[in-house]
Amino acid sequence: MNFKEYKEKAFKKNPKLYEEYKALIPEYELIKQIIEIRNDQEITQKQLAERTGTKQSNISRLEKGEYNPSLKFLKKLAQGLGKELHIEFK
């Protein structure tokens, strides 16, 4: 059984788990984008931290999903990655 199959089975058994999972999707999508951009640019967490004026541990906590960043922090992060930050409601 692969992870996708495992998730489907778990969600069928526990619909509340699925709702909680769905609620976390935006945070994890943002984290995924940050990691992909950093990897594409071939920079370390430490280098990104230096570019944004923060500590490497803050970048690490963010990438692990252990840190809820402020809008101000996300703006600095986007600037450090050479990107624009866009937030929208759908």
Side-chain angles (χ1 to χ4, degrees):
M1 176 183 304
N2 65 33
F3 185 64
K4 182 179 178 182
E5 293 168 339
Y6 173 80
K7 282 192 316 186
E8 288 174 4
K9 186 176 180 180
F11 294 156
K12 284 180 184 176
K13 286 178 87 174
N14 187 348
K16 186 175 179 178
L17 176 65
Y18 178 68
E19 292 303 316
E20 291 179 23
Y21 175 83
K22 278 187 1 183
L24 292 173
I25 289 174
E27 286 89 346
Y28 287 109
E29 282 296 318
L30 178 62
I31 291 167
K32 181 180 171 185
Q33 287 180 30
I34 292 166
I35 293 169
E36 284 178 357
I37 294 167
R38 185 175 62 75
N39 287 334
D40 288 347
Q41 294 182 10
E42 298 179 347
I43 60 172
T44 64
Q45 289 179 345
K46 183 177 181 181
Q47 290 168 317
L48 179 55
E50 290 169 356
R51 289 182 183 186
T52 58
T54 191
K55 296 178 182 176
Q56 181 271 331
S57 60
N58 291 337
I59 303 296
S60 176
R61 286 191 358 239
L62 173 68
E63 289 186 1
K64 288 184 205 174
E66 298 174 352
Y67 175 63
N68 188 11
S70 66
L71 183 56
K72 183 178 180 179
F73 183 79
L74 291 175
K75 288 178 183 178
K76 287 172 50 175
L77 197 59
Q79 185 177 12
L81 291 167
K83 301 292 182 181
E84 294 179 1
L85 177 64
H86 294 264
I87 299 173
E88 63 183 56
F89 294 97
K90 291 186 178 183

